[in-house]
Amino acid sequence: MTKPDLLSADNHRLPDDESLLVEEVPLAISVNDISLVVMMISPDDIEDFITGYFLTEQIITAPVEIKDIHIERNEAGIEANVSLTGRREHLLKSRRFTRVNAGCGICNHTALEQAFPQLEAAASWSPVPACDFGSLRDAMDKLQEKARKTGALHAALYGSGNDIALGREDIGRHNALDKVIGAVRKRIKNHEEGYLVVTSRCGVELVQKAVIAGFTTLISFSSPTSLAVSFARQHKLNLVFLPRNNQPVFFSREVQHGS
Protein backbone atom coordinates (compact mmCIF):
# COMPACT_ATOMS: atom_id res chain seq x y z
CA MET A 1 0.00 0.00 0.00
CA THR A 2 1.29 3.41 -0.93
CA LYS A 3 1.57 5.74 2.04
CA PRO A 4 -0.37 8.95 1.34
CA ASP A 5 1.56 12.16 1.10
CA LEU A 6 0.00 14.22 3.89
CA LEU A 7 1.56 17.40 2.53
CA SER A 8 0.22 17.09 -0.98
CA ALA A 9 -2.48 19.44 -2.19
CA ASP A 10 -4.82 16.53 -2.86
CA ASN A 11 -4.96 15.71 0.84
CA HIS A 12 -5.66 19.25 2.02
CA ARG A 13 -9.18 20.04 3.12
CA LEU A 14 -10.49 23.08 1.31
CA PRO A 15 -12.61 25.58 3.25
CA ASP A 16 -16.34 25.13 2.74
CA ASP A 17 -17.03 28.87 2.64
CA GLU A 18 -14.27 31.46 2.88
CA SER A 19 -16.90 34.14 3.49
CA LEU A 20 -17.07 32.77 7.05
CA LEU A 21 -13.48 33.79 7.74
CA VAL A 22 -13.27 36.60 10.26
CA GLU A 23 -12.41 40.01 8.82
CA GLU A 24 -9.29 41.79 10.06
CA VAL A 25 -8.20 45.25 8.90
CA PRO A 26 -5.67 47.90 9.93
CA LEU A 27 -7.16 50.97 11.55
CA ALA A 28 -5.02 54.11 11.35
CA ILE A 29 -6.04 56.71 13.93
CA SER A 30 -5.03 60.36 13.63
CA VAL A 31 -5.82 63.28 15.89
CA ASN A 32 -6.38 66.50 13.93
CA ASP A 33 -4.47 64.96 11.00
CA ILE A 34 -1.49 63.98 13.19
CA SER A 35 -0.86 60.21 13.07
CA LEU A 36 -1.29 58.51 16.44
CA VAL A 37 -1.49 54.74 16.11
CA VAL A 38 -2.23 51.83 13.74
CA MET A 39 -4.09 48.83 15.13
CA MET A 40 -5.53 45.60 13.77
CA ILE A 41 -9.24 45.39 14.40
CA SER A 42 -12.54 43.87 13.34
CA PRO A 43 -14.16 46.59 11.20
CA ASP A 44 -17.32 47.02 13.27
CA ASP A 45 -18.32 49.65 15.84
CA ILE A 46 -15.29 51.79 15.00
CA GLU A 47 -16.52 54.91 16.83
CA ASP A 48 -17.26 52.89 19.96
CA PHE A 49 -13.75 51.43 19.80
CA ILE A 50 -12.03 54.78 19.36
CA THR A 51 -14.02 56.28 22.24
CA GLY A 52 -13.19 53.36 24.53
CA TYR A 53 -9.54 53.27 23.46
CA PHE A 54 -9.13 57.01 24.03
CA LEU A 55 -10.72 56.64 27.48
CA THR A 56 -8.61 53.68 28.58
CA GLU A 57 -5.42 55.24 27.20
CA GLN A 58 -6.33 58.38 29.19
CA ILE A 59 -6.30 60.54 26.07
CA ILE A 60 -9.73 61.78 27.15
CA THR A 61 -11.66 61.59 30.40
CA ALA A 62 -15.17 61.69 28.92
CA PRO A 63 -16.70 61.02 25.47
CA VAL A 64 -17.75 64.68 25.14
CA GLU A 65 -14.07 65.58 24.71
CA ILE A 66 -14.25 63.97 21.25
CA LYS A 67 -15.73 66.59 18.93
CA ASP A 68 -15.86 64.45 15.79
CA ILE A 69 -14.65 61.15 14.29
CA HIS A 70 -14.27 61.09 10.52
CA ILE A 71 -13.91 57.57 9.11
CA GLU A 72 -12.77 56.64 5.61
CA ARG A 73 -12.45 53.13 4.23
CA ASN A 74 -10.04 52.33 1.41
CA GLU A 75 -8.22 49.35 -0.06
CA ALA A 76 -5.48 49.55 2.57
CA GLY A 77 -7.85 49.56 5.54
CA ILE A 78 -9.65 52.19 7.60
CA GLU A 79 -8.50 55.69 8.45
CA ALA A 80 -10.07 57.61 11.32
CA ASN A 81 -9.31 61.26 11.98
CA VAL A 82 -10.40 62.37 15.44
CA SER A 83 -11.04 65.96 16.50
CA LEU A 84 -10.59 66.65 20.20
CA THR A 85 -11.46 69.63 22.33
CA GLY A 86 -8.66 72.18 22.48
CA ARG A 87 -7.51 71.24 25.98
CA ARG A 88 -7.34 67.53 25.21
CA GLU A 89 -5.49 68.13 21.96
CA HIS A 90 -2.91 70.21 23.81
CA LEU A 91 -2.45 67.53 26.50
CA LEU A 92 -2.12 64.84 23.85
CA LYS A 93 0.66 66.73 22.07
CA SER A 94 2.54 67.04 25.33
CA ARG A 95 2.57 63.26 25.82
CA ARG A 96 4.97 60.85 24.18
CA PHE A 97 3.22 58.10 22.23
CA THR A 98 4.71 55.07 20.50
CA ARG A 99 3.18 53.78 17.28
CA VAL A 100 1.96 50.20 17.54
CA ASN A 101 0.35 47.80 15.11
CA ALA A 102 -1.90 45.80 17.43
CA GLY A 103 -4.07 46.45 20.47
CA CYS A 104 -1.92 44.46 22.87
CA GLY A 105 -2.16 46.77 25.84
CA ILE A 106 0.83 46.84 28.15
CA CYS A 107 3.08 44.93 25.75
CA ASN A 108 3.34 47.94 23.42
CA HIS A 109 4.61 50.43 25.97
CA THR A 110 8.29 51.28 26.10
CA ALA A 111 8.66 52.00 29.82
CA LEU A 112 7.20 50.76 33.09
CA GLU A 113 5.82 54.23 33.78
CA GLN A 114 3.72 53.95 30.62
CA ALA A 115 2.65 50.36 31.29
CA PHE A 116 1.58 51.06 34.87
CA PRO A 117 0.46 54.69 35.15
CA GLN A 118 -0.46 56.05 38.56
CA LEU A 119 -4.20 55.59 38.97
CA GLU A 120 -6.35 56.87 41.79
CA ALA A 121 -8.07 54.07 43.67
CA ALA A 122 -11.79 54.27 44.40
CA ALA A 123 -12.61 55.82 47.76
CA SER A 124 -14.42 52.68 48.91
CA TRP A 125 -15.50 49.27 47.70
CA SER A 126 -18.74 49.07 45.76
CA PRO A 127 -20.97 46.01 46.18
CA VAL A 128 -20.91 43.43 43.43
CA PRO A 129 -24.00 44.20 41.31
CA ALA A 130 -26.78 41.67 41.62
CA CYS A 131 -27.05 39.50 38.54
CA ASP A 132 -27.86 35.97 37.46
CA PHE A 133 -24.33 34.62 37.09
CA GLY A 134 -25.69 31.32 35.79
CA SER A 135 -27.18 33.03 32.72
CA LEU A 136 -24.13 35.05 31.65
CA ARG A 137 -22.58 32.36 29.46
CA ASP A 138 -25.86 31.87 27.59
CA ALA A 139 -26.16 35.63 27.18
CA MET A 140 -22.63 35.77 25.81
CA ASP A 141 -23.31 32.88 23.42
CA LYS A 142 -26.31 34.75 22.02
CA LEU A 143 -24.21 37.86 21.61
CA GLN A 144 -21.39 36.09 19.75
CA GLU A 145 -23.16 35.70 16.45
CA LYS A 146 -20.01 36.14 14.37
CA ALA A 147 -17.93 33.99 16.71
CA ARG A 148 -20.37 31.10 16.22
CA LYS A 149 -19.79 31.31 12.46
CA THR A 150 -16.04 31.94 12.47
CA GLY A 151 -14.71 30.61 15.78
CA ALA A 152 -12.20 33.45 15.89
CA LEU A 153 -13.57 36.38 17.88
CA HIS A 154 -13.39 37.62 21.46
CA ALA A 155 -16.35 39.34 23.07
CA ALA A 156 -17.27 41.63 25.92
CA LEU A 157 -20.61 42.80 27.25
CA TYR A 158 -22.13 45.17 29.77
CA GLY A 159 -25.01 44.29 32.01
CA SER A 160 -27.09 45.81 34.76
CA GLY A 161 -28.96 43.45 37.04
CA ASN A 162 -30.12 40.57 34.87
CA ASP A 163 -30.36 42.75 31.77
CA ILE A 164 -27.59 42.68 29.19
CA ALA A 165 -27.49 46.20 27.77
CA LEU A 166 -25.02 45.65 24.94
CA GLY A 167 -22.06 43.64 23.72
CA ARG A 168 -19.31 43.80 21.13
CA GLU A 169 -17.04 41.34 19.28
CA ASP A 170 -13.52 41.75 17.92
CA ILE A 171 -10.45 39.76 16.94
CA GLY A 172 -8.63 41.45 19.83
CA ARG A 173 -9.72 40.94 23.42
CA HIS A 174 -8.56 44.46 24.31
CA ASN A 175 -10.49 45.83 21.33
CA ALA A 176 -13.71 44.06 22.32
CA LEU A 177 -13.52 45.53 25.81
CA ASP A 178 -12.68 49.01 24.48
CA LYS A 179 -15.69 48.83 22.15
CA VAL A 180 -18.02 48.02 25.03
CA ILE A 181 -16.49 50.68 27.27
CA GLY A 182 -16.88 53.28 24.53
CA ALA A 183 -20.47 52.29 23.83
CA VAL A 184 -21.44 52.29 27.50
CA ARG A 185 -19.79 55.58 28.35
CA LYS A 186 -21.55 57.27 25.42
CA ARG A 187 -25.00 55.83 26.08
CA ILE A 188 -25.50 54.83 29.71
CA LYS A 189 -25.56 57.06 32.78
CA ASN A 190 -24.43 55.62 36.12
CA HIS A 191 -22.43 52.97 34.27
CA GLU A 192 -20.60 52.11 37.49
CA GLU A 193 -23.76 50.44 38.78
CA GLY A 194 -23.45 47.69 36.16
CA TYR A 195 -20.73 45.19 35.30
CA LEU A 196 -18.39 44.27 32.45
CA VAL A 197 -17.99 40.68 31.22
CA VAL A 198 -15.10 39.34 29.11
CA THR A 199 -14.60 35.95 27.51
CA SER A 200 -10.84 36.09 27.22
CA ARG A 201 -7.79 35.63 29.41
CA CYS A 202 -8.08 38.15 32.22
CA GLY A 203 -4.69 39.84 32.44
CA VAL A 204 -3.88 43.01 34.34
CA GLU A 205 -4.38 45.20 31.25
CA LEU A 206 -8.11 44.38 31.13
CA VAL A 207 -8.40 45.24 34.80
CA GLN A 208 -6.60 48.52 34.13
CA LYS A 209 -9.07 49.40 31.39
CA ALA A 210 -12.04 48.76 33.68
CA VAL A 211 -10.51 50.86 36.48
CA ILE A 212 -9.53 53.77 34.23
CA ALA A 213 -12.98 53.85 32.61
CA GLY A 214 -14.70 54.05 35.99
CA PHE A 215 -16.31 50.62 36.31
CA THR A 216 -16.62 48.80 39.64
CA THR A 217 -16.99 45.16 38.57
CA LEU A 218 -15.30 42.97 35.95
CA ILE A 219 -16.46 39.39 35.37
CA SER A 220 -14.24 36.99 33.43
CA PHE A 221 -14.91 33.53 32.02
CA SER A 222 -11.18 32.85 32.35
CA SER A 223 -9.21 32.75 35.58
CA PRO A 224 -7.39 36.05 36.25
CA THR A 225 -3.66 36.33 36.72
CA SER A 226 -2.17 37.04 40.13
CA LEU A 227 -1.17 40.52 38.97
CA ALA A 228 -4.71 41.19 37.75
CA VAL A 229 -6.10 40.23 41.17
CA SER A 230 -3.51 42.34 42.98
CA PHE A 231 -4.22 45.38 40.80
CA ALA A 232 -7.99 44.94 41.15
CA ARG A 233 -7.76 44.80 44.94
CA GLN A 234 -5.41 47.76 45.06
CA HIS A 235 -7.91 49.87 43.10
CA LYS A 236 -11.07 48.42 44.71
CA LEU A 237 -12.40 46.77 41.56
CA ASN A 238 -14.61 43.73 42.11
CA LEU A 239 -13.04 40.97 40.01
CA VAL A 240 -15.16 37.87 39.51
CA PHE A 241 -14.09 34.59 37.88
CA LEU A 242 -17.00 32.61 36.49
CA PRO A 243 -15.93 28.99 35.88
CA ARG A 244 -17.99 26.84 33.55
CA ASN A 245 -20.57 24.82 35.49
CA ASN A 246 -19.40 26.13 38.84
CA GLN A 247 -19.99 28.88 41.37
CA PRO A 248 -18.43 32.32 40.79
CA VAL A 249 -15.19 33.13 42.58
CA PHE A 250 -15.04 36.66 44.00
CA PHE A 251 -11.64 38.36 44.13
CA SER A 252 -12.67 41.39 46.15
CA ARG A 253 -12.39 42.87 49.60
CA GLU A 254 -14.32 39.99 51.17
CA VAL A 255 -11.85 37.35 49.95
CA GLN A 256 -8.69 39.42 50.10
CA HIS A 257 -7.27 37.39 52.98
CA GLY A 258 -6.86 33.67 52.56
CA SER A 259 -7.96 33.47 48.93
Side-chain angles (χ1 to χ4, degrees), residues 81-153:
N81 189 35
V82 184
S83 297
L84 300 179
T85 59
R87 181 172 181 271
R88 280 295 148 189
E89 181 187 358
H90 174 74
L91 291 173
L92 176 63
K93 289 179 178 178
S94 68
R95 290 174 56 177
R96 179 175 173 231
F97 281 84
T98 301
R99 286 195 182 109
V100 296
N101 59 8
C104 298
I106 287 173
C107 299
N108 290 302
H109 292 292
T110 57
L112 287 175
E113 304 85 55
Q114 293 178 329
F116 295 98
Q118 292 295 318
L119 303 177
E120 185 176 348
S124 61
W125 285 90
S126 297
V128 177
C131 74
D132 182 4
F133 288 100
S135 68
L136 286 181
R137 287 187 179 272
D138 287 340
M140 187 67 82
D141 288 341
K142 292 178 181 178
L143 160 72
Q144 292 192 271
E145 179 180 350
K146 291 186 177 180
R148 288 196 302 272
K149 296 177 181 178
T150 65
L153 288 169

Side-chain angles (χ1 to χ4, degrees), residues 35-54:
S35 296
L36 176 65
V37 67
V38 177
M39 311 179 78
M40 302 307 297
I41 190 171
S42 299
D44 306 303
D45 307 299
I46 299 298
E47 292 194 10
D48 287 343
F49 168 72
I50 291 174
T51 302
Y53 177 75
F54 274 38

Side-chain angles (χ1 to χ4, degrees), residues 8 11 13 31 36 42 48 55 87 90 97 102 131 143-144 164-165 192 200 203 227 246 248-249:
S8 69
N11 290 316
R13 179 175 178 268
V31 175
L36 176 65
S42 299
D48 287 343
L55 284 165
R87 181 172 181 271
H90 174 74
F97 281 84
C131 74
L143 160 72
Q144 292 192 271
I164 303 305
E192 66 278 359
S200 58
L227 186 57
N246 210 334
V249 179

Side-chain angles (χ1 to χ4, degrees), residues 2 19 25 40 71-72 81 85 88 124 127 130 137 162 167 184 187 193 218-219 252:
T2 302
S19 68
V25 300
M40 302 307 297
I71 297 173
E72 290 187 359
N81 189 35
T85 59
R88 280 295 148 189
S124 61
R137 287 187 179 272
N162 293 330
V184 170
R187 297 170 175 83
E193 297 177 1
L218 176 64
I219 302 170
S252 60

